[in-house]
Structures are given as C-alpha cells and as structure tokens.
Amino acid sequence: MRYNIIIILLLSLLLLGACGHKNEQIAPKPKGYFRIDLPQAEYTLLDTTLPFTMEVSKHAQAVITPKDSGKIWIDLQYPQFAAELKMTYFPMHGNLRDRMVQEREMVQFHYVKADDVEYSIISDPESRMFGQIYDIEGSDVATPFQFWVSDSSYHFLRGSLYFNFPPNNDSIQPVIDYLRNDLLQLVNTLQWR
C-alpha cells in the first residue's frame, strides 16, 4: 500500500512538471495544400477561320465547333489543370443590350456562392473592343473568371473558366491566378477581322 502511494505521488509530480512550461505557445497549424508546379507562360497566335484572332497559351488545346446561325463554340482545354475555358462567339444583329443583360444574369447566378465579385470594364474604341471581365471570388465558386467582349456592332464573344472537379478554390488559387493571366492575355490580344 505504501509503495502505491509513493508511485502515485511520483507520477503526479511528473505530470505537473510536464505541464509547467509556460514559454511554449500552443497554436493550431494552418491547413496546407500540395505544391502546384506551374509551367512558364508561353503564347501562340490562334489564327483560324474564326472572325477574330487572339493569343492563347501553348499549354492549352483549342477545340473549335461551329454551330447553326453563325454561333461558334471555342474550348481551350488545360489537361494538366483539369480546367477549361469555354467560349461562345455570337454574330451580332443589333442586340448588344440583350447580350449584356444575359451576361449580367449569368454572373448573378454565382452570387449565392461568391464572397465577392469584382469587374473591370474594357473600353478601347480605337480597336473596337468593349466588354467586361468578372473575377468571382469564393471557395465554392464554379467559375472564378468570366468575360465578354464585343465590337458593339458585329461580334460578341463570351467566356467562362471551369474546372472538371468540385471547386475548392482555396486549394487551387495559384492555378486560378495562372489561368487568369492566360485569359487576360487572350482578351488583350483579341482582334476582330
């Protein structure tokens, strides 16, 4: 019995001694993600039978599908990121305002999941380029980047960036930033024919 009391006292002293370090701060570790290696940005001119030209990433594969009534689907696929920029070209017939309203509605659809939506206005009368770029922020947003451009008379092009998996934009933010730069290059080099 006497040995049991001595053992209990020694264990108690050891436990109290282990808890006595006041200099150490205990803090949770931040959530981490795998490192994503991004390739060097390189661009090439996409000069096909489209009614416009633009520079696209050399790391993207372009799939062009003409549709009825002059509409054209252009998909820029990024297999290494499981991402795709889906674009649609519409020939204009005096309905720019209707198209602008449709684009606003497409962006508003994402407001439920978005933390913030920032937009930039494109206005370059010399090159007949007008439009908007939408950055949609939030960890569960399906399309973090959308845009539309037009010459206001004949041409209208819209695009949305999608990933081929459920979004967790916090973990893929470096990829989103990388692809955003590619897409800005595309918009900045686009020229109507």
Side-chain angles (χ1 to χ4, degrees):
M1 177 82 164
R2 184 174 180 187
Y3 292 113
N4 289 342
I5 293 174
I6 293 173
I7 291 174
I8 291 173
L9 284 174
L10 286 173
L11 288 174
S12 298
L13 286 173
L14 284 172
L15 285 173
L16 285 174
C19 296
H21 298 292
K22 294 182 180 178
N23 294 339
E24 291 183 28
Q25 296 287 333
I26 298 174
K29 293 185 178 186
K31 193 173 186 178
Y33 300 104
F34 293 106
R35 181 177 155 195
I36 301 171
D37 291 321
L38 302 171
Q40 181 71 28
E42 298 178 76
Y43 303 100
T44 184
L45 186 65
L46 182 66
D47 188 11
T48 63
T49 59
L50 294 171
F52 54 87
T53 62
M54 60 186 169
E55 288 184 11
V56 298
S57 173
K58 286 186 176 182
H59 306 289
Q61 300 166 354
V63 177
I64 300 170
T65 310
K67 296 293 178 182
D68 294 336
S69 71
K71 188 186 293 188
I72 303 170
W73 290 350
I74 305 108
D75 294 336
L76 288 183
Q77 300 169 346
Y78 291 83
Q80 69 271 37
F81 301 128
E84 193 168 9
L85 175 64
K86 293 187 167 288
M87 296 181 284
T88 306
Y89 169 81
F90 302 91
M92 292 285 296
H93 303 293
N95 58 358
L96 178 61
R97 181 164 174 71
D98 294 340
R99 293 268 181 229
M100 291 170 60
V101 169
Q102 288 173 356
E103 292 305 311
R104 183 167 290 139
E105 289 171 357
M106 297 272 288
V107 171
Q108 287 175 345
F109 178 75
H110 298 281
Y111 282 5
V112 175
K113 298 280 185 175
D115 294 335
D116 189 23
V117 177
E118 295 181 7
Y119 68 93
S120 305
I121 295 174
I122 300 168
S123 180
D124 185 0
E126 189 173 306
S127 63
R128 300 178 336 210
M129 191 67 62
F130 307 96
Q132 287 188 328
I133 298 172
Y134 301 94
D135 287 296
I136 306 170
E137 298 175 7
S139 62
D140 295 333
V141 171
T143 63
F145 184 87
Q146 293 187 25
F147 73 91
W148 65 267
V149 290
S150 175
D151 69 346
S152 78
S153 301
Y154 305 105
H155 307 287
F156 189 91
L157 178 69
R158 73 159 326 274
S160 296
L161 176 63
Y162 291 94
F163 288 92
N164 300 324
F165 50 85
N168 181 3
N169 295 347
D170 292 340
S171 66
I172 59 169
Q173 192 61 48
V175 175
I176 293 172
D177 294 341
Y178 177 85
L179 294 176
R180 183 183 190 281
N181 288 335
D182 278 0
L183 305 179
L184 289 175
Q185 178 73 15
L186 179 151
V187 170
N188 288 332
T189 60
L190 191 139
Q191 293 182 350
W192 308 115
R193 291 185 193 237

